[in-house]
Amino acid sequence: MLDWDDLRYFVALADHRSLSAAARTLKVDHATVARRVAALEEKSGLRLFDRRARRYLLTGQGLRIAEHARRMEAEVFALERGLIEAAGETPVEISVSAPPVLAASLIAPRLPAFYAEHAHIRLHIGTEARNVSLTRREADIAVRLSRPSDPQLVIRKAGQVCYRLYGSPAYLRSREPADYVFIAFDELLDDTPQQAWLKQMAAERAIVLRTNDLGLQCAAAAAGAGLAVLPDFAAAAAGLQAIGGETDEVRRDAYITYHEDLRGSTPIAATASFLAECVGTGSGRRPAE
């Protein structure tokens, strides 16, 4: 008899075509994915993948099994979403995915007030940089800085995150603009609007630090390592000074989104409203120059 867990690992590998990518999605190590898929092939007596270097390509038999397994997976996720909707006042855990800086700066400080009003809800907040799949229930609700395109999702605009160029007051006093150096994301986030804007401003000047941790960017800028493009609320907390005029900014719309199956869920509605309020209060905060 086939094991559903084996099928779940098989679908992840079929979707991502590499052990490492499937493992990141499932939050396990790649050896576990390989072992589960091998177990499924042994139990079924079928060769499901052609293994080519670091890529796994579905065989004809694998394509047929994957079609059935995805339908099974969709039904399981729909059942799990239905359990949330029916939870009522019994304790329920809601999984939230949010950008790290929004989770730490805007959501976490307001959690006590949320729990005081909704004692039966427990939040699990994940802060991965990637966009998780709500259809596959990698999270129940997501806070995103780009509008999702999946037609199965409920999408609510919650506000805007304003990015400006910031440095420490001491750094700005001690240097001429021609001598500024910069702190940036690494190449994985080169396609974000704020990174493209920073690279345009940096031109031929040096980027002395690359990191995808906005907390580290704030700390480095506060220490005088260089200038960084940061959200207003994060820069305010770090005591940084904005450079440029009112139009020298990048604004990104923030969205709260969840699967349409959860539209009637009271815990989901309460959590979504809370997240929208958190993001909304973080819009448009600019430290004094």
Side-chain angles (χ1 to χ4, degrees):
M1 184 175 180
L2 297 181
D3 185 321
W4 162 243
D5 274 343
D6 291 343
L7 284 169
R8 186 166 61 91
Y9 283 82
F10 162 69
V11 169
L13 184 55
D15 287 345
H16 295 284
R17 299 186 180 184
S18 82
L19 289 174
S20 57
R24 283 194 298 272
T25 298
L26 295 167
K27 296 182 175 60
V28 297
D29 60 74
H30 70 277
T32 300
V33 178
R35 177 171 52 81
R36 288 285 195 169
V37 170
L40 179 61
E41 288 183 317
E42 183 177 353
K43 291 172 185 176
S44 65
L46 301 174
R47 185 168 63 86
L48 303 176
F49 290 100
D50 283 327
R51 294 157 172 81
R52 300 181 182 178
R54 296 184 179 181
R55 294 178 63 80
Y56 280 64
L57 303 179
L58 287 167
T59 63
Q61 293 171 322
L63 284 168
R64 179 171 56 84
I65 299 300
E67 182 179 346
H68 289 288
R70 287 191 180 101
R71 288 200 295 267
M72 292 173 60
E73 183 182 59
E75 289 298 322
V76 169
F77 292 145
L79 174 60
E80 290 177 344
R81 286 190 289 267
L83 293 175
I84 291 177
E85 182 176 346
E89 292 300 313
T90 59
V92 58
E93 181 176 280
I94 304 296
S95 174
V96 176
S97 173
V101 68
L102 297 188
S105 299
L106 301 182
I107 298 172
R110 295 167 175 80
L111 286 174
F114 175 74
Y115 289 134
E117 186 175 353
H118 303 283
H120 65 293
I121 299 179
R122 303 289 183 269
L123 298 183
H124 178 278
I125 301 178
T127 57
E128 294 179 272
R130 71 182 182 93
N131 284 337
V132 301
S133 171
L134 298 176
T135 302
R136 297 186 63 179
R137 205 160 179 257
E138 294 176 3
D140 298 313
I141 304 178
V143 182
R144 292 184 176 170
L145 293 178
S146 57
R147 184 179 177 86
S149 58
D150 189 337
Q152 298 181 81
L153 301 182
V154 176
I155 302 168
R156 173 180 178 179
K157 184 177 175 181
Q160 290 187 321
V161 177
C162 182
Y163 293 82
R164 306 180 208 269
L165 189 64
Y166 285 98
S168 73
Y171 181 88
L172 297 176
R173 286 195 303 267
S174 64
R175 286 168 175 76
E176 294 298 323
D179 298 324
Y180 291 159
V181 295
F182 296 86
I183 299 162
F185 290 115
D186 67 26
E187 290 78 1
L188 292 175
L189 293 177
D190 266 352
D191 60 345
T192 61
Q194 64 269 30
Q195 176 85 337
W197 185 52
L198 181 142
K199 290 175 69 176
Q200 183 180 15
M201 289 186 293
E204 301 300 320
R205 289 173 288 183
I207 295 176
V208 296
L209 173 66
R210 290 183 180 270
T211 173
N212 288 347
D213 186 332
L214 266 175
L216 179 55
Q217 290 192 24
C218 281
L227 306 182
V229 173
L230 301 167
D232 285 348
F233 57 83
L240 298 174
Q241 180 177 325
I243 301 171
E246 290 292 333
T247 60
D248 294 320
E249 61 184 35
V250 170
R251 288 187 175 268
R252 299 192 64 181
D253 291 335
Y255 300 90
I256 312 299
T257 182
Y258 52 90
H259 198 279
E260 62 182 4
D261 287 355
L262 297 172
R263 190 187 292 273
S265 168
T266 300
I268 291 292
T271 305
S273 293
F274 164 69
L275 295 172
E277 290 173 6
C278 290
V279 174
T281 57
S283 300
R285 291 187 177 182
R286 177 176 179 151
E289 295 187 20

